Amino acid sequence: MISFTEKRPFVIAGPCSAETEEQVLATARALAAQGKTDLFRAGIWKPRTRPNSFEGVGTEGLGWLRKVKAETGLRTTTEVANKLHVYEALKYGVDVLWIGARTTVNPFSVQEIADALEGVDIPVIVKNPINPDIGLWRGAVERLQKAGISRLAGLHRGFSSFGDSDYRNPPRWQMAIEFKRMMPDLPLFVDPSHICGRRDTLAAVAQQALDLNYDGMMLEVHPNPDEAWSDAKQQITPSQFGALVDGLKLPKISSNDPDFLASLSGLRQQIDEIDEEVLNLLCERMKLAESIGVYKRNNNIAILQPSRWNSLLEDAKKRGESRNLSTEFVTALLQAVHQESINKQENIIRK
Ligand code: PEP
Ligand code: MN
């Protein structure tokens, strides 16, 4: 019986879309021969952003997945977005279902799938919604749990964003870490293909996820990636996939070595003490901001002083740089601190 924790990392690989029987079987044979794939993926119904793109081969492709399993022994998974997809996939013996990012955003669709799965013992992988809303992600998992699905995993495929980015779907690691904190028992996988949207950064993203203790990954693999009917830029050949997996370093989750544990706990204690000091200092800082708020109120002066804020931020960036703190970090920290000061002053002025 398939379990998402049977192996670490649990590796899912296969083409973005099932295109032809030959393409599906050629990919599966190459992957099976390497022995690095725990589950074979192929999209049968493809959610495309605009019409007139390839929308998947439909039910016919499920027969190809059945052949994959019969011939190579690889277990299979495909995306389902409605109850008809579920019924068809179950009829053809697909081993695992996944819910795509465009479906997780829609509670009606997720509930329809959950209802169709009531009483069916099949594992389901839930991708994060395209928008950065962990509540929807969690809600989708909960709907499936309520329908009695016990083998579930999350799949982090990044979030859509406006404007330029090096990623097709920026990972926003913090969101996935928070999701993991909320659902600590749910295995969490990464989908470097849809995060990166390109080949050259896949390995780095896969490694980053393992360093963050993820349980596995999904990678798009195609015998001839440049000719793929969907997501051509991000797919890799079976041999590139093999090299990528071989190059990953799997960190241990923990160690029982007493020296290691003693040094770790000493360092963590120091970190806790520093965090305590940082919070105390921030509290002092807010009190000063409140005193300034009183002056501003009494003299009818606006709370936000753009030139002061600008010089404060520029100074902090320079000071951060000389202390080896990244500009992004210092900016985000100062923005949060400044916003809290503004909130405090607003409370004073409204009193
Ligand atoms: C896919 O896995 O091919 C897919 C459509 O992914 P997502 O739902 O993450 O966009
Ligand atoms: Mn894809």
Side-chain angles (χ1 to χ4, degrees):
M1 206 162 82
I2 198 162
S3 151
F4 292 133
T5 51
E6 66 193 25
K7 198 180 129 252
R8 226 177 144 259
F10 187 89
V11 179
I12 307 162
C16 176
S17 303
E19 299 164 4
T20 65
E21 183 170 338
E22 296 66 42
Q23 168 251 6
V24 169
L25 282 163
T27 317
R29 284 182 195 125
L31 290 174
Q34 295 171 338
K36 302 179 204 298
T37 301
D38 302 300
L39 185 63
F40 180 80
R41 67 150 279 157
I44 297 290
W45 300 280
K46 298 304 298 177
R48 305 310 297 276
T49 303
R50 297 185 60 206
N52 305 324
S53 322
F54 172 60
E55 298 202 315
V57 291
T59 301
E60 186 188 6
L62 292 172
W64 309 339
L65 289 184
R66 195 152 61 184
K67 279 196 184 162
V68 163
K69 190 168 179 190
E71 198 191 299
T72 68
L74 282 172
R75 299 163 300 189
T76 62
T77 181
T78 198
E79 172 172 350
V80 291
N82 58 42
K83 61 182 176 200
L84 295 177
H85 296 165
V86 171
Y87 298 142
E88 289 293 279
L90 293 177
K91 196 157 73 189
Y92 280 80
V94 171
D95 297 282
V96 173
L97 305 176
W98 93 71
I99 296 186
R102 291 162 192 76
T103 305
T104 309
V105 284
N106 185 344
F108 286 136
S109 304
V110 175
Q111 192 57 51
E112 176 179 316
I113 293 168
D115 291 343
L117 286 173
E118 191 89 45
V120 182
D121 182 23
I122 190 167
V124 182
I125 299 170
V126 184
K127 287 201 174 200
N128 67 257
I130 39 179
N131 55 324
D133 181 337
I134 323 184
L136 283 170
W137 199 1
R138 181 186 196 171
V141 172
E142 288 168 342
R143 285 176 198 279
L144 291 158
Q145 281 169 335
K146 281 181 83 174
I149 301 293
S150 57
R151 286 173 292 164
L152 283 158
L155 179 50
H156 174 204
R157 50 80 76 199
F159 301 89
S160 70
S161 76
F162 181 72
D164 287 344
S165 165
D166 288 342
Y167 299 100
R168 178 176 173 198
N169 293 291
R172 295 172 170 251
W173 294 103
Q174 216 51 51
M175 304 273 311
I177 291 168
E178 175 60 10
F179 179 71
K180 182 84 189 157
R181 196 186 62 77
M182 291 193 312
M183 315 210 96
D185 298 327
L186 191 78
L188 181 61
F189 302 153
V190 68
D191 174 349
S193 307
H194 291 89
I195 288 179
C196 299
R198 53 197 263 188
R199 294 171 197 141
D200 58 337
T201 49
L202 295 172
V205 165
Q207 186 61 57
Q208 213 168 334
L210 290 185
D211 294 342
L212 291 170
N213 243 335
Y214 280 47
D215 302 279
M217 65 194 67
M218 180 187 264
L219 284 158
E220 287 188 339
V221 179
H222 191 286
N224 193 354
D226 287 332
E227 306 297 320
W229 299 0
S230 60
D231 289 353
K233 287 202 194 110
Q234 69 198 33
Q235 302 207 58
I236 50 177
T237 63
S239 77
Q240 289 169 327
F241 160 80
L244 190 160
V245 172
D246 284 343
L248 294 171
K249 283 202 258 338
L250 188 64
K252 283 187 279 182
I253 298 182
S254 60
S255 161
N256 291 325
D257 176 38
D259 287 344
F260 167 80
L261 291 175
S263 347
L264 188 68
S265 102
L267 291 170
R268 283 187 173 154
Q269 201 173 332
Q270 290 179 53
I271 285 187
D272 290 349
E273 283 164 19
I274 290 180
D275 284 351
E276 172 84 12
E277 267 178 63
V278 169
L279 288 177
N280 285 339
L281 286 171
L282 284 173
C283 173
E284 291 306 314
R285 190 195 191 281
M286 292 309 153
K287 283 186 199 149
L288 292 171
E290 281 175 337
S291 308
I292 293 180
V294 173
Y295 280 115
K296 285 180 180 164
R297 181 188 60 199
N298 295 346
N299 294 285
N300 195 24
I301 306 239
I303 291 179
L304 180 63
Q305 300 286 319
S307 64
R308 157 80 181 147
W309 163 233
N310 196 38
S311 69
L312 188 151
L313 183 60
E314 288 311 314
D315 271 5
K317 282 197 232 171
K318 273 191 219 111
R319 277 186 264 153
E321 221 167 280
S322 68
R323 289 165 173 79
N324 234 342
L325 298 170
S326 74
T327 309
E328 292 76 39
F329 168 68
V330 172
T331 307
L333 178 70
L334 264 286
Q335 275 169 345
V337 169
H338 185 239
Q339 185 59 52
E340 181 71 2
S341 297
I342 289 179
N343 296 346
K344 295 265 183 245
Q345 295 191 351
E346 261 171 5
N347 287 342
I348 299 271
I349 286 181
R350 292 221 188 86
K351 257 187 202 160

